[in-house]
Amino acid sequence: MLHPTEALDIILASVSQVGTEKVPLEESLGRTLADDVRAAEDLPPFDNSAMDGYAVRAADTAGASEEHPALLRVLEDLPAGGVPRCAVGAGEAVRIMTGAPVPAGADAVVMVEKTSRCNGQVAVQAPVQPGVNIRRCGEDVRRGDVCLQSGMVLRPAEIGVLASLGFATVPVARQPVVAVLSTGDELLAPEEALTPGKIRDSNSPALAAMVRRYGGVPRVDPRVPDTVTEVEAALRRVEGVDLYLTSGGVSVGDFDVVKEVLSRLGEIKFWRLAIKPGKPLVFGRLGGRPLFGLPGNPVSALVAFEQFVRPALLKMQGRRALRKAEVTAVINGYYKSRAGKVEFVRAHTTLRETVYHARICGPQGSGRLSTMSQANSLIVLPEDVTTVQAGDHVRTQMLDYPEVE
Ligand code: AMP
Ligand code: MG
């Protein structure tokens, strides 16, 4: 049985980036930047005021106070978007709004709260140092600098930076197309009524959602029964597919159909992992594309997806950060784990004061999908750990960001 870190190395070595495309900036949220972005302009593009106030020569305000204000002649009112018509000379000021260009001659802005206006004059009631309340040209981003790196995921902040720099479209990684196939004689569609011996297929929609969550485009194939012929026919539909994802049909005692088809039509790289849940996991290549044969148990399928499919999908998009965030948490109870396997225990982890607390989400049977829904994290118990006690510190992988209690 293969250790999960070795398995991940094999997986990552066998997937590569799927290519790039340009998308409109407003559709780029969550996409992965495909090129470094070098600023062609300074940000801000000109010296401008950080305050509503008066642009002045700092020297004119030396010694100013409420009792002895500096009286300056106001030349004009300058709104954001305006262009100064006059330079500020000794004894002069310009009324200026936040974002308006600082007029020539001025070297500071006095905030309006420290002034009073009377006819054509302003009384400045406090001294100001040169440079105060001025946002310098290029202080945020300097022309020529690389300000966003390829492989970054685009968040609202990056989209704002790109807009500021004049990007209406943005080069991003193409979204990998993932064929999602559920196998099993027992499976019904969500809308079908239950009949004896049957269950509804939860893996197709859940795995498709996972694909979407991590930047892929799912192509959900019609469910197939556990026959080699039907699985084979489904897996031959290769057009446009970047990655295959099957669930079910990979465990010993099962009909092993996915493995059989893969060994005949493609190549199996590994098929058993020292993890719980998710041991019967097949990884290989089919028609030049990677294929994950996930176990049918719904929890196993989701846990295995997080550990192995997610990093592969991210790498296919050129992402640099492939690891899930981890915290050290205090576990709330006793847990017994099998030696020789890395175990992922569903837990709800919260931050109280400065300490993370992980509460085990009940019995850990790999068919208990609702406990996966209660969990926001997986406690990772290494292969040499057999028991943990309440109060022990455990490595905890955050599936979702921890809530604060
Ligand atoms: P298998 O890996 O095919 O042996 O399936 C293991 C368990 O997962 C069995 O109880 C199956 O009924 C269940 N299972 C398999 N595929 C699905 C699916 N798509 N949705 C829900 N449960 C499934
Ligand atoms: Mg099955």
Side-chain angles (χ1 to χ4, degrees):
M1 277 195 292
L2 201 61
H3 191 275
T5 48
E6 287 173 80
L8 189 55
D9 289 344
I10 294 173
I11 291 165
L12 292 178
S14 104
V15 302
S16 42
Q17 207 177 332
V18 291
T20 65
E21 62 187 358
K22 279 205 164 166
V23 295
L25 188 59
E26 61 271 24
E27 288 166 26
S28 67
L29 180 67
R31 300 293 295 270
T32 306
L33 191 61
D35 288 327
D36 286 350
V37 171
R38 197 176 285 280
E41 293 160 357
D42 285 318
L43 284 184
F46 49 86
D47 287 358
N48 69 95
S49 179
M51 288 278 176
D52 289 340
Y54 288 85
V56 299
R57 292 177 169 233
D60 285 350
T61 67
S65 65
E66 273 182 50
E67 297 76 44
H68 301 288
L71 291 177
L72 306 174
R73 190 163 68 85
V74 180
L75 302 175
E76 63 171 330
D77 273 28
L78 200 54
V83 178
R85 276 173 296 149
C86 20
V88 173
E92 294 175 340
V94 161
R95 171 81 171 114
I96 194 167
M97 300 303 160
T98 306
V102 175
D107 61 1
V109 172
V110 183
M111 61 199 285
V112 72
E113 291 83 349
K114 298 276 167 62
T115 65
S116 67
R117 179 96 175 241
C118 181
N119 301 322
Q121 283 197 313
V122 61
V124 175
Q125 295 155 347
V128 68
Q129 296 301 313
V132 166
N133 295 330
I134 294 178
R135 302 191 284 218
R136 291 292 175 198
C137 175
E139 74 174 21
D140 186 11
V141 175
R142 194 155 291 288
R143 184 155 61 100
D145 282 356
V146 171
C147 56
L148 302 174
Q149 284 88 28
S150 82
M152 288 176 91
V153 57
L154 296 173
R155 304 171 304 166
E158 285 74 31
I159 291 172
V161 169
L162 287 162
S164 305
L165 290 171
F167 285 81
T169 60
V170 51
V172 294
R174 187 167 70 68
Q175 297 185 279
V177 175
V178 181
V180 177
L181 176 70
S182 285
T183 72
D185 294 339
E186 72 279 35
L187 302 177
L188 300 171
E191 64 274 16
E192 286 184 274
L194 288 177
T195 52
K198 308 285 185 192
I199 58 166
R200 296 194 183 94
D201 168 16
S202 63
N203 285 347
S204 289
L207 293 172
M210 283 290 228
V211 168
R212 225 173 254 124
R213 176 181 242 193
Y214 296 121
V217 177
R219 185 196 81 186
V220 179
D221 292 336
R223 280 168 294 283
V224 290
D226 288 307
T227 67
V228 168
T229 342
E230 302 211 39
V231 170
E232 183 173 330
L235 291 180
R236 281 188 186 277
R237 295 186 50 222
V238 296
E239 335 77 61
V241 173
D242 297 303
L243 177 85
Y244 290 97
L245 209 54
T246 69
S247 76
V250 290
S251 48
V252 185
D254 195 349
F255 293 90
D256 271 359
V257 278
V258 173
K259 240 168 61 200
E260 187 178 327
V261 172
L262 187 60
S263 61
R264 206 151 32 76
L265 299 185
E267 174 200 359
I268 294 180
K269 298 233 186 226
F270 63 78
W271 62 278
R272 252 152 50 110
L273 290 185
I275 61 168
K276 190 180 170 199
K279 180 183 88 176
L281 187 144
V282 177
F283 177 73
R285 292 186 71 83
L286 180 70
R289 294 140 175 108
L291 180 148
F292 288 90
L294 301 179
N297 273 312
V299 173
S300 311
L302 291 181
V303 170
F305 190 111
E306 288 280 6
Q307 308 311 313
F308 305 108
V309 186
R310 174 184 179 274
L313 259 184
L314 297 185
K315 186 178 176 203
M316 291 169 85
Q317 294 165 76
R319 288 273 193 92
R320 299 207 177 148
L322 303 180
R323 281 172 58 119
K324 209 89 200 177
E326 283 180 0
V327 300
T328 299
V330 176
I331 195 167
N332 74 323
Y334 172 80
Y335 194 84
K336 192 167 180 308
S337 165
R338 274 268 303 277
K341 282 191 179 184
V342 178
E343 185 155 351
F344 299 92
V345 183
R346 278 150 269 163
H348 188 84
T349 299
T350 49
L351 180 60
R352 271 182 250 148
E353 307 277 335
T354 53
V355 179
Y356 287 100
H357 293 266
R359 178 175 52 75
I360 302 168
C361 292
Q364 297 282 316
S366 54
R368 293 175 180 253
L369 187 52
S370 73
T371 61
M372 191 70 187
S373 155
Q374 290 151 23
N376 65 351
S377 54
L378 296 170
I379 296 168
V380 187
L381 300 177
E383 58 279 19
D384 55 345
V385 170
T386 50
T387 55
V388 280
Q389 313 288 340
D392 283 354
H393 286 83
V394 287
R395 210 179 107 203
T396 304
Q397 193 182 72
M398 298 310 303
L399 300 177
D400 300 293
Y401 201 76
E403 289 127 50
V404 177
E405 248 173 36

